[in-house]
Structure formats: C-alpha cells, structure tokens
C-alpha cells in the first residue's frame, strides 16, 4: 500500500451514467468533498462514459461551489457503453484508456446502476483501471446485499441512492390522484417506472393504491382474468366507487389479439446496453377495464415525475454515508469495490459504521424478494411496508370521511 496518501494532490474523476436520479448531485458533492479532504484534485467527467471518448469532456470540481440538494446531475448523463454492443459494435475502450493518460486520472468513481458499473467493473478487470463503483438507480434493482431485519427474518434487500426520493415522489403522486379517481368514480391505472423490478411501485401502495402489479409475476391469460374479476369486485365494494391500480412498467400482460404475454414497449429501439424503452401498459389495462367491465377507467403515467426534483433527506444522508465508505476504499487503495449499506435502517440511524463494500464482480440485478409481495391479492405484504417505513416514515391515510344525509323528496 502506498504511504503518505494524504495530501498527495492526486486526481480523482467522477462520472454519472444511465437514467438520472434526484440523488446524483448529492452523491457527486459528498464524494467530491471527502476526496478533497484526502488531497485529491477532483474532476467531473461529463455525459457518462461519453466524456472519456475522443478529446474528452472533463471539468474541474475542486473547490467549486456545489448544490447537492438540486436533483439530477450537473455532470449530465448518457447511456454510452464503452464496450462493443449491438447498437454500436465499435470498441471504444482504447479511447477511454488514452483519456485516463491525457487527463492524468488516478482513480475513477463511476456513479451508476448495473450498466454503468458493469462497464466500470469490466474496465477494472480487463484493463486494471482503478475504479470505485457508487450505486444509484430509482429502480432499486442493483444488488447491494442490504439486510432488512423483519421479525425473525433476514431479508436480502436492496438500497440504492435515488430510490428513496423517487419512492416518495410515487407515494405523493398516488395520494393526489386519489381525489380525482373518487370525484369521477373512476378506476385510475397508474404506471410507475422500475424496468424489470417492482421496488419502486411500492410507493403507490404506500400512497393508498388498492391493487398493485409488479414485473416479477407475469399476467398470463388466467391471471389476467382473475385480476379483472378482482378489479370489478373491489370497485363495487369500494366506498367511493373508485379504485387505484398501480402497475410497474415492466409487467408482462396477456394480449387478446396476439395471444402472447409480453411487456408493452414505448420503443423497441435498443440503447447501447441492449434495453428497449418500456411504457404504455397502463393504457392497455385501462381500456380493457373500460371495455370488458364497463367501468370508466383512465391511465396516468407517473413517469419522470418520480425521477426528477430535489434530493430528499433520506437520500441526502444515504449518499453522505456511502461517500464516507469511499474514503475508506481510497485510503486502502481498495479498487473494484462498491460501497453499500449493510442493514436497512431509518433515517437517523444512517451512519458510516453500517456500510460495507462489495466486490464489483458481484454486482447485478436483483428483483423484489418473494416475501414482499402477495401474488394472490395483488398487494405488498407487511414485510415490504416495514421496509418502506424505514424510508417514508408513518403512513398517512387521507380520506374524505363524511357521509352526508340523503334528502328525500317531499
Ligand atoms: O433505469 C431508470 C429508468 O428510469 C427506468 O425506470 C426506465 O425504464 C428508464 O430509466 C427510462 O429511461 P429513459 O430516460 O431513457 O427514458
């Protein structure tokens, strides 16, 4: 291990890749501040991996003012993949290596999900580039091995910066939509991002959605007809003759015309990591409810509302806590690692001693654990409400609880 690491004035670069989150600027600021204390010059690579191609696009963050509460990423982001892909078969790794030399970058912190950090991991493994991964995704599907203690259970959960703020946004939007659903005695079908995992749509359940569909369980022909029966029954039994259904964008749905069960695509064009764009399932479900059940239904996509806006407090503290662990990794020159939260805790208990680091070779996607969802009732189990309670605090139930007396005509 190199001695006298402190105040050597070395160079650390940070990049953000993939979809933005409300916690990216907070992550950049927290990492930047701590790296500076260790004596690093801190650079920002703009537009993800794209900023290390060609002549490079690099800015100096050292001693600059920074607003970590402002959502999104001031470094900008992209879904650029340095490795050859179907969409772009060119291998751009040599350009990345060249820019490491040209900008004299000693360590790279890549803030990203499975795609961005997967590329960082490959660069570390194949080219020996010193990287530290930093988790982020509103989908919360990047494995962090965070243990959620629930009763006697130790559930392997996930905790990625960006998800707590987005979860709160989804909850708030669902709470709002309820009043419109009730006013028109409608079924509202809310579509929530999350790709192939059902973590994020949990925010809707916290915000009083009645039925939830997650991508981990496909809606084949028989499950779909069972679901539609449930919708009718619940709607008729509901006090206000209204219902909120929350559906994750990646749910596979049986289509009567094609007789196939598949996701609904907003666009089948693939990005450089091979992902198509999902979107539109809420419209399909709403029209089936209207046509088959004769109940007025509307679709509403929560979409980018969840991903945008300011960094909420849980994320602010989570990013600082994980950045503390980055200091540890830098001091040990322990690269190819990603800091993670060890145990699921509430906001006041987010502290550095509760962090660990995992080998980036172990990162990958993690779906919602089975124990969190009730497949027959189309709802989350208490275990997942407990998980979300750590982030969102007590649930507030908002209802208009007045029954006006009926006036009989004389
Ligand atoms: O991975 C984050 C995410 O927001 C997904 O939930 C969603 O499917 C996707 O990104 C949308 O990406 P884009 O910004 O390219 O529309």
């Amino acid at each position: 291990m190199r001695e006298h690491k402190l105040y050597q004035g070395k160079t650390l670069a940070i990049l953000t890749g993939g979809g933005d989150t409300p916690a990216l600027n907070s992550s950049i600021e927290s990492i930047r501040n701590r790296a500076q204390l260790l004596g690093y010059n801190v650079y920002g690579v703009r537009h993800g991996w794209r900023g290390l191609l060609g002549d490079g696009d690099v800015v100096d963050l050292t001693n600059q003012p920074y607003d970590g509460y402002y959502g999104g990423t001031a470094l900008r982001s992209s879904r650029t993949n340095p490795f050859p892909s179907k969409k772009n078969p060119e291998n751009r790794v040599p350009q990345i290596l060249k820019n490491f030399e040209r900008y004299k970058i000693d360590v790279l912190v890549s803030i990203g999900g499975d795609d961005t950090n997967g590329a960082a991991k490959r660069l570390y493994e194949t080219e020996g580039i010193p990287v530290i991964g930093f988790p982020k995704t509103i989908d919360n599907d990047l494995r962090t091995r965070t243990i959620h203690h629930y009763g006697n259970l130790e559930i392997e959960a996930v905790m990625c910066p960006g998800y707590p703020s987005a979860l709160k946004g989804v909850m708030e939007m669902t709470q709002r939509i309820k009043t419109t659903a009730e006013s028109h005695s409608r079924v509202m079908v809310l579509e929530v991002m999350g790709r192939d995992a059902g973590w994020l749509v949990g925010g809707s359940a916290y915000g009083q959605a009645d039925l939830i569909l997650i991508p981990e369980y496909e809606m084949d022909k028989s499950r779909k007809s069972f679901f539609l029966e449930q919708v009718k029954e619940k709607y008729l039994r509901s006090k206000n003759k209204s219902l909120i259904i929350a559906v994750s964008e990646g749910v596979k749905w049986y289509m009567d015309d094609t007789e196939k069960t598949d996701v609904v695509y907003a666009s089948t064009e693939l990005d450089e990591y091979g992902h198509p764009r999902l979107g539109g399932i809420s419209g399909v479900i709403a029209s089936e409810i209207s046509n088959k059940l004769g109940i007025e239904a509307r679709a509403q996509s929560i979409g980018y509302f969840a991903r945008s806006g300011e960094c909420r407090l849980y994320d602010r503290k989570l990013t600082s806590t994980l950045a503390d662990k980055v200091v540890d990794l830098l001091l040990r020159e322990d690269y190819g690692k990603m800091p993670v939260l060890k145990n699921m805790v509430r906001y006041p208990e987010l502290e550095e001693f509760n962090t660990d680091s995992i080998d980036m070779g172990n990162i990958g996607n993690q779906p919602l654990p089975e124990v969190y969802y009730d497949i027959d009732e189309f709802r989350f189990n208490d275990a997942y409400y407990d998980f979300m309670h750590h982030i969102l605090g007590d649930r507030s139930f908002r209802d208009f609880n007045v029954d006006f007396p009926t006036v009989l005509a004389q």
Side-chain angles (χ1 to χ4, degrees):
M1 188 186 295
R2 193 179 299 139
E3 282 181 22
H4 310 302
K5 180 76 182 172
L6 290 175
Y7 309 110
Q8 270 194 344
K10 303 201 74 190
T11 302
L12 176 141
I14 304 174
L15 66 76
T16 50
D20 73 316
T21 82
L24 284 177
N25 276 328
S26 181
S27 305
I28 296 165
E29 187 189 29
S30 305
I31 297 164
R32 191 279 308 260
N33 289 352
R34 285 156 181 78
Q36 253 184 236
L37 286 176
L38 295 184
Y40 283 91
N41 283 323
V42 183
Y43 290 169
V45 175
R46 283 162 43 90
H47 305 285
W49 293 112
R50 205 204 304 163
L52 288 173
L53 302 181
D55 287 339
D57 188 352
V58 178
V59 292
D60 193 355
L61 303 179
T62 323
N63 294 323
Q64 297 301 313
Y66 209 98
D67 183 355
Y69 282 98
Y70 194 88
T73 166
L75 294 180
R76 313 294 179 239
S77 187
S78 74
R79 295 193 194 276
T80 307
N81 185 352
F83 291 93
S85 63
K86 245 193 193 153
K87 181 160 181 169
N88 188 346
E90 191 194 353
N91 181 9
R92 291 172 289 180
V93 172
Q95 296 181 49
I96 305 256
L97 298 178
K98 196 165 155 213
N99 277 319
F100 258 77
E101 284 292 318
R102 290 179 64 231
Y103 288 96
K104 308 244 169 298
I105 298 168
D106 297 294
V107 189
L108 177 75
V109 180
S110 73
I111 307 176
D114 191 30
D115 296 334
T116 306
N117 280 326
K121 173 188 83 179
R122 269 179 85 180
L123 285 171
Y124 171 73
E125 284 171 354
T126 59
E127 310 295 336
I129 289 185
V131 296
I132 293 173
F134 198 88
K136 77 90 220 184
T137 165
I138 62 161
D139 303 341
N140 205 43
D141 61 350
L142 176 68
R143 183 175 303 126
T144 58
R145 300 199 186 288
T146 304
I147 301 300
H148 170 211
H149 297 266
Y150 178 68
N152 297 328
L153 298 179
E154 288 192 359
I155 303 167
E156 190 190 326
V158 176
M159 179 41 59
C160 290
Y163 159 78
S165 300
L167 189 74
K168 196 159 186 186
V170 171
M171 176 190 79
E172 288 169 352
M173 178 110 173
T174 309
Q175 283 170 335
R176 288 181 72 101
I177 290 289
K178 185 168 181 284
T179 60
T180 293
E182 288 171 356
S183 302
H184 295 274
S185 305
R186 280 178 188 160
V187 172
M188 296 294 280
V189 187
L190 287 184
E191 182 170 324
V192 180
M193 283 187 169
R195 204 98 77 176
D196 305 320
W199 297 92
L200 186 59
V201 73
S204 275
Y206 226 77
Q208 281 181 269
D210 303 282
L211 292 163
I212 321 281
L213 299 179
I214 64 171
E216 283 80 355
Y217 301 99
E218 61 177 41
M219 299 298 287
D220 60 15
K221 193 175 179 185
S222 70
R223 264 184 71 70
K224 177 171 114 174
S225 68
F226 175 57
F227 172 73
L228 290 175
E229 279 166 28
Q230 294 284 304
V231 171
K232 186 164 188 181
E233 202 185 307
K234 277 211 171 233
Y235 177 83
L236 293 176
R237 269 198 284 121
S238 67
K239 188 166 161 245
N240 293 302
K241 294 288 165 292
S242 72
L243 209 62
I244 297 186
I245 298 169
V247 57
S248 193
E249 61 176 6
V251 165
K252 294 196 174 86
W253 183 259
Y254 177 81
M255 302 289 184
D256 296 339
D257 50 351
T258 60
E259 299 185 351
K260 285 195 176 123
T261 305
D262 203 356
V263 289
V264 179
Y265 297 100
S267 158
T268 47
E269 197 194 325
L270 303 182
D271 67 17
E272 291 189 9
Y273 289 94
H275 304 298
R277 215 144 41 78
L278 301 172
I281 178 79
S282 54
V284 173
I285 297 178
S287 67
E288 288 206 29
I289 291 172
S290 298
N291 297 337
K292 291 188 173 154
L293 306 181
I295 300 170
E296 200 182 358
R298 293 283 192 275
Q300 169 77 57
S301 173
I302 293 185
Y304 300 98
F305 178 85
R307 229 167 81 175
S308 43
E310 79 272 23
C311 181
R312 313 291 185 121
L313 285 182
Y314 196 95
D315 259 331
R316 186 70 179 148
K317 210 159 169 188
L318 177 63
T319 51
S320 313
T321 303
L322 294 178
D324 287 343
K325 187 68 187 172
V326 172
V327 172
D328 181 39
L329 295 174
L330 287 171
L331 284 172
R332 292 170 194 272
E333 299 187 11
D334 196 0
Y335 305 124
K337 297 276 169 70
M338 180 174 83
V340 292
L341 203 66
K342 268 199 286 200
N343 295 294
M344 194 57 206
V345 290
R346 290 175 310 146
Y347 171 78
E349 294 148 17
L350 283 165
E351 298 294 348
E352 198 273 334
F353 65 80
N354 185 26
T355 58
D356 201 350
S357 58
I358 61 171
D359 201 291
M360 285 174 76
N362 292 328
I363 63 174
N365 285 125
Q366 186 174 322
L368 191 93
E370 273 178 29
V371 64
Y372 284 153
Y373 185 74
D374 184 332
I375 181 170
D376 298 321
E377 298 281 336
F378 303 104
R379 63 172 183 81
F380 287 105
N381 288 327
D382 289 348
Y384 194 47
Y385 282 99
D386 184 75
F387 177 85
M388 292 190 287
H389 184 256
H390 285 86
I391 302 163
L392 300 172
D394 292 341
R395 277 180 87 187
S396 69
F397 293 89
R398 297 185 199 168
D399 289 299
F400 192 88
N401 270 327
V402 184
D403 280 327
F404 301 117
T406 309
V407 179
L408 300 174
Q410 300 293 312

PDB file of all heavy atoms in Angstrom, residues 119-131 334-337 359-360:
ATOM      1  N   ALA A 119     -19.818  -1.765 -16.737  1.00  0.00           N
ATOM      2  CA  ALA A 119     -18.736  -1.351 -17.639  1.00  0.00           C
ATOM      3  C   ALA A 119     -17.496  -0.987 -16.817  1.00  0.00           C
ATOM      4  O   ALA A 119     -16.367  -1.346 -17.181  1.00  0.00           O
ATOM      5  CB  ALA A 119     -19.187  -0.160 -18.480  1.00  0.00           C
ATOM      6  N   ALA A 120     -17.705  -0.305 -15.680  1.00  0.00           N
ATOM      7  CA  ALA A 120     -16.569   0.064 -14.812  1.00  0.00           C
ATOM      8  C   ALA A 120     -15.864  -1.197 -14.313  1.00  0.00           C
ATOM      9  O   ALA A 120     -14.633  -1.274 -14.293  1.00  0.00           O
ATOM     10  CB  ALA A 120     -17.076   0.890 -13.632  1.00  0.00           C
ATOM     11  N   LYS A 121     -16.679  -2.169 -13.939  1.00  0.00           N
ATOM     12  CA  LYS A 121     -16.124  -3.434 -13.439  1.00  0.00           C
ATOM     13  C   LYS A 121     -15.265  -4.097 -14.518  1.00  0.00           C
ATOM     14  O   LYS A 121     -14.150  -4.550 -14.265  1.00  0.00           O
ATOM     15  CB  LYS A 121     -17.295  -4.352 -13.053  1.00  0.00           C
ATOM     16  CG  LYS A 121     -16.890  -5.756 -12.684  1.00  0.00           C
ATOM     17  CD  LYS A 121     -18.113  -6.641 -12.509  1.00  0.00           C
ATOM     18  CE  LYS A 121     -18.600  -7.178 -13.831  1.00  0.00           C
ATOM     19  NZ  LYS A 121     -19.773  -8.053 -13.715  1.00  0.00           N
ATOM     20  N   ARG A 122     -15.763  -4.087 -15.751  1.00  0.00           N
ATOM     21  CA  ARG A 122     -15.002  -4.711 -16.854  1.00  0.00           C
ATOM     22  C   ARG A 122     -13.698  -3.968 -17.105  1.00  0.00           C
ATOM     23  O   ARG A 122     -12.669  -4.575 -17.378  1.00  0.00           O
ATOM     24  CB  ARG A 122     -15.833  -4.711 -18.143  1.00  0.00           C
ATOM     25  CG  ARG A 122     -16.653  -5.970 -18.294  1.00  0.00           C
ATOM     26  CD  ARG A 122     -17.473  -5.941 -19.554  1.00  0.00           C
ATOM     27  NE  ARG A 122     -16.762  -6.396 -20.750  1.00  0.00           N
ATOM     28  CZ  ARG A 122     -17.317  -6.434 -21.961  1.00  0.00           C
ATOM     29  NH1 ARG A 122     -18.568  -6.061 -22.123  1.00  0.00           N
ATOM     30  NH2 ARG A 122     -16.627  -6.870 -23.005  1.00  0.00           N
ATOM     31  N   LEU A 123     -13.733  -2.642 -17.004  1.00  0.00           N
ATOM     32  CA  LEU A 123     -12.510  -1.856 -17.211  1.00  0.00           C
ATOM     33  C   LEU A 123     -11.488  -2.157 -16.119  1.00  0.00           C
ATOM     34  O   LEU A 123     -10.284  -2.200 -16.357  1.00  0.00           O
ATOM     35  CB  LEU A 123     -12.822  -0.350 -17.215  1.00  0.00           C
ATOM     36  CG  LEU A 123     -13.487   0.169 -18.488  1.00  0.00           C
ATOM     37  CD1 LEU A 123     -13.949   1.606 -18.286  1.00  0.00           C
ATOM     38  CD2 LEU A 123     -12.523   0.091 -19.672  1.00  0.00           C
ATOM     39  N   TYR A 124     -12.009  -2.367 -14.915  1.00  0.00           N
ATOM     40  CA  TYR A 124     -11.125  -2.711 -13.786  1.00  0.00           C
ATOM     41  C   TYR A 124     -10.516  -4.097 -14.014  1.00  0.00           C
ATOM     42  O   TYR A 124      -9.301  -4.287 -13.887  1.00  0.00           O
ATOM     43  CB  TYR A 124     -11.939  -2.674 -12.490  1.00  0.00           C
ATOM     44  CG  TYR A 124     -11.201  -3.216 -11.300  1.00  0.00           C
ATOM     45  CD1 TYR A 124     -10.168  -2.502 -10.708  1.00  0.00           C
ATOM     46  CD2 TYR A 124     -11.530  -4.469 -10.772  1.00  0.00           C
ATOM     47  CE1 TYR A 124      -9.479  -3.009  -9.617  1.00  0.00           C
ATOM     48  CE2 TYR A 124     -10.850  -4.984  -9.683  1.00  0.00           C
ATOM     49  CZ  TYR A 124      -9.827  -4.256  -9.109  1.00  0.00           C
ATOM     50  OH  TYR A 124      -9.142  -4.764  -8.036  1.00  0.00           O
ATOM     51  N   GLU A 125     -11.398  -5.040 -14.392  1.00  0.00           N
ATOM     52  CA  GLU A 125     -10.927  -6.424 -14.528  1.00  0.00           C
ATOM     53  C   GLU A 125     -10.014  -6.625 -15.745  1.00  0.00           C
ATOM     54  O   GLU A 125      -9.023  -7.334 -15.680  1.00  0.00           O
ATOM     55  CB  GLU A 125     -12.133  -7.371 -14.641  1.00  0.00           C
ATOM     56  CG  GLU A 125     -12.817  -7.603 -13.303  1.00  0.00           C
ATOM     57  CD  GLU A 125     -14.137  -8.361 -13.435  1.00  0.00           C
ATOM     58  OE1 GLU A 125     -14.587  -8.616 -14.566  1.00  0.00           O
ATOM     59  OE2 GLU A 125     -14.704  -8.688 -12.386  1.00  0.00           O
ATOM     60  N   THR A 126     -10.382  -5.986 -16.870  1.00  0.00           N
ATOM     61  CA  THR A 126      -9.625  -6.266 -18.091  1.00  0.00           C
ATOM     62  C   THR A 126      -8.461  -5.301 -18.297  1.00  0.00           C
ATOM     63  O   THR A 126      -7.464  -5.669 -18.902  1.00  0.00           O
ATOM     64  CB  THR A 126     -10.544  -6.223 -19.336  1.00  0.00           C
ATOM     65  OG1 THR A 126     -11.134  -4.920 -19.409  1.00  0.00           O
ATOM     66  CG2 THR A 126     -11.633  -7.269 -19.276  1.00  0.00           C
ATOM     67  N   GLU A 127      -8.616  -4.066 -17.797  1.00  0.00           N
ATOM     68  CA  GLU A 127      -7.567  -3.076 -18.061  1.00  0.00           C
ATOM     69  C   GLU A 127      -6.847  -2.618 -16.799  1.00  0.00           C
ATOM     70  O   GLU A 127      -5.923  -1.809 -16.872  1.00  0.00           O
ATOM     71  CB  GLU A 127      -8.164  -1.830 -18.762  1.00  0.00           C
ATOM     72  CG  GLU A 127      -9.023  -2.132 -19.973  1.00  0.00           C
ATOM     73  CD  GLU A 127      -8.219  -2.759 -21.119  1.00  0.00           C
ATOM     74  OE1 GLU A 127      -6.992  -2.550 -21.157  1.00  0.00           O
ATOM     75  OE2 GLU A 127      -8.815  -3.464 -21.949  1.00  0.00           O
ATOM     76  N   GLY A 128      -7.320  -3.073 -15.661  1.00  0.00           N
ATOM     77  CA  GLY A 128      -6.678  -2.697 -14.395  1.00  0.00           C
ATOM     78  C   GLY A 128      -6.876  -1.238 -14.011  1.00  0.00           C
ATOM     79  O   GLY A 128      -6.113  -0.679 -13.214  1.00  0.00           O
ATOM     80  N   ILE A 129      -7.902  -0.609 -14.564  1.00  0.00           N
ATOM     81  CA  ILE A 129      -8.162   0.801 -14.199  1.00  0.00           C
ATOM     82  C   ILE A 129      -8.704   0.865 -12.767  1.00  0.00           C
ATOM     83  O   ILE A 129      -9.640   0.133 -12.435  1.00  0.00           O
ATOM     84  CB  ILE A 129      -9.197   1.409 -15.179  1.00  0.00           C
ATOM     85  CG1 ILE A 129      -8.539   1.589 -16.539  1.00  0.00           C
ATOM     86  CG2 ILE A 129      -9.729   2.729 -14.672  1.00  0.00           C
ATOM     87  CD1 ILE A 129      -9.418   2.284 -17.528  1.00  0.00           C
ATOM     88  N   PRO A 130      -8.125   1.715 -11.902  1.00  0.00           N
ATOM     89  CA  PRO A 130      -8.636   1.802 -10.532  1.00  0.00           C
ATOM     90  C   PRO A 130     -10.020   2.466 -10.507  1.00  0.00           C
ATOM     91  O   PRO A 130     -10.128   3.662 -10.762  1.00  0.00           O
ATOM     92  CB  PRO A 130      -7.611   2.681  -9.813  1.00  0.00           C
ATOM     93  CG  PRO A 130      -6.457   2.818 -10.752  1.00  0.00           C
ATOM     94  CD  PRO A 130      -6.992   2.625 -12.128  1.00  0.00           C
ATOM     95  N   VAL A 131     -11.037   1.690 -10.254  1.00  0.00           N
ATOM     96  CA  VAL A 131     -12.393   2.254 -10.188  1.00  0.00           C
ATOM     97  C   VAL A 131     -13.036   1.931  -8.849  1.00  0.00           C
ATOM     98  O   VAL A 131     -12.732   0.908  -8.232  1.00  0.00           O
ATOM     99  CB  VAL A 131     -13.336   1.720 -11.301  1.00  0.00           C
ATOM    100  CG1 VAL A 131     -12.882   2.124 -12.675  1.00  0.00           C
ATOM    101  CG2 VAL A 131     -13.507   0.224 -11.207  1.00  0.00           C
ATOM    102  N   ASP A 334      -8.331   0.265  -2.306  1.00  0.00           N
ATOM    103  CA  ASP A 334      -9.086  -0.975  -2.486  1.00  0.00           C
ATOM    104  C   ASP A 334     -10.077  -0.757  -3.634  1.00  0.00           C
ATOM    105  O   ASP A 334     -11.208  -0.331  -3.423  1.00  0.00           O
ATOM    106  CB  ASP A 334      -9.823  -1.257  -1.156  1.00  0.00           C
ATOM    107  CG  ASP A 334     -10.313  -2.673  -1.077  1.00  0.00           C
ATOM    108  OD1 ASP A 334     -10.081  -3.429  -2.036  1.00  0.00           O
ATOM    109  OD2 ASP A 334     -10.933  -3.022  -0.050  1.00  0.00           O
ATOM    110  N   TYR A 335      -9.638  -1.038  -4.844  1.00  0.00           N
ATOM    111  CA  TYR A 335     -10.458  -0.702  -6.010  1.00  0.00           C
ATOM    112  C   TYR A 335     -11.291  -1.898  -6.478  1.00  0.00           C
ATOM    113  O   TYR A 335     -11.148  -3.000  -5.977  1.00  0.00           O
ATOM    114  CB  TYR A 335      -9.567  -0.179  -7.135  1.00  0.00           C
ATOM    115  CG  TYR A 335      -8.725   0.997  -6.683  1.00  0.00           C
ATOM    116  CD1 TYR A 335      -7.337   0.969  -6.789  1.00  0.00           C
ATOM    117  CD2 TYR A 335      -9.325   2.108  -6.105  1.00  0.00           C
ATOM    118  CE1 TYR A 335      -6.560   2.043  -6.347  1.00  0.00           C
ATOM    119  CE2 TYR A 335      -8.555   3.177  -5.658  1.00  0.00           C
ATOM    120  CZ  TYR A 335      -7.174   3.139  -5.779  1.00  0.00           C
ATOM    121  OH  TYR A 335      -6.430   4.190  -5.319  1.00  0.00           O
ATOM    122  N   GLY A 336     -12.172  -1.611  -7.472  1.00  0.00           N
ATOM    123  CA  GLY A 336     -13.052  -2.676  -7.951  1.00  0.00           C
ATOM    124  C   GLY A 336     -14.140  -2.999  -6.935  1.00  0.00           C
ATOM    125  O   GLY A 336     -14.716  -4.075  -6.940  1.00  0.00           O
ATOM    126  N   LYS A 337     -14.424  -2.049  -6.039  1.00  0.00           N
ATOM    127  CA  LYS A 337     -15.423  -2.247  -4.980  1.00  0.00           C
ATOM    128  C   LYS A 337     -16.525  -1.198  -5.076  1.00  0.00           C
ATOM    129  O   LYS A 337     -16.336  -0.138  -5.672  1.00  0.00           O
ATOM    130  CB  LYS A 337     -14.775  -2.124  -3.596  1.00  0.00           C
ATOM    131  CG  LYS A 337     -13.711  -3.177  -3.299  1.00  0.00           C
ATOM    132  CD  LYS A 337     -14.345  -4.440  -2.784  1.00  0.00           C
ATOM    133  CE  LYS A 337     -13.377  -5.608  -2.712  1.00  0.00           C
ATOM    134  NZ  LYS A 337     -12.376  -5.454  -1.662  1.00  0.00           N
ATOM    135  N   ASP A 359     -17.554  -6.540  -3.796  1.00  0.00           N
ATOM    136  CA  ASP A 359     -16.746  -6.685  -4.981  1.00  0.00           C
ATOM    137  C   ASP A 359     -17.618  -6.366  -6.205  1.00  0.00           C
ATOM    138  O   ASP A 359     -18.742  -6.869  -6.299  1.00  0.00           O
ATOM    139  CB  ASP A 359     -16.311  -8.151  -5.020  1.00  0.00           C
ATOM    140  CG  ASP A 359     -15.100  -8.318  -5.863  1.00  0.00           C
ATOM    141  OD1 ASP A 359     -15.230  -8.141  -7.107  1.00  0.00           O
ATOM    142  OD2 ASP A 359     -14.053  -8.603  -5.302  1.00  0.00           O
ATOM    143  N   MET A 360     -17.105  -5.544  -7.102  1.00  0.00           N
ATOM    144  CA  MET A 360     -17.953  -5.191  -8.244  1.00  0.00           C
ATOM    145  C   MET A 360     -18.243  -6.391  -9.142  1.00  0.00           C
ATOM    146  O   MET A 360     -19.161  -6.357  -9.949  1.00  0.00           O
ATOM    147  CB  MET A 360     -17.323  -4.043  -9.031  1.00  0.00           C
ATOM    148  CG  MET A 360     -17.489  -2.725  -8.295  1.00  0.00           C
ATOM    149  SD  MET A 360     -16.634  -1.381  -9.094  1.00  0.00           S
ATOM    150  CE  MET A 360     -17.699  -1.016 -10.468  1.00  0.00           C
TER     151      MET A 360
END
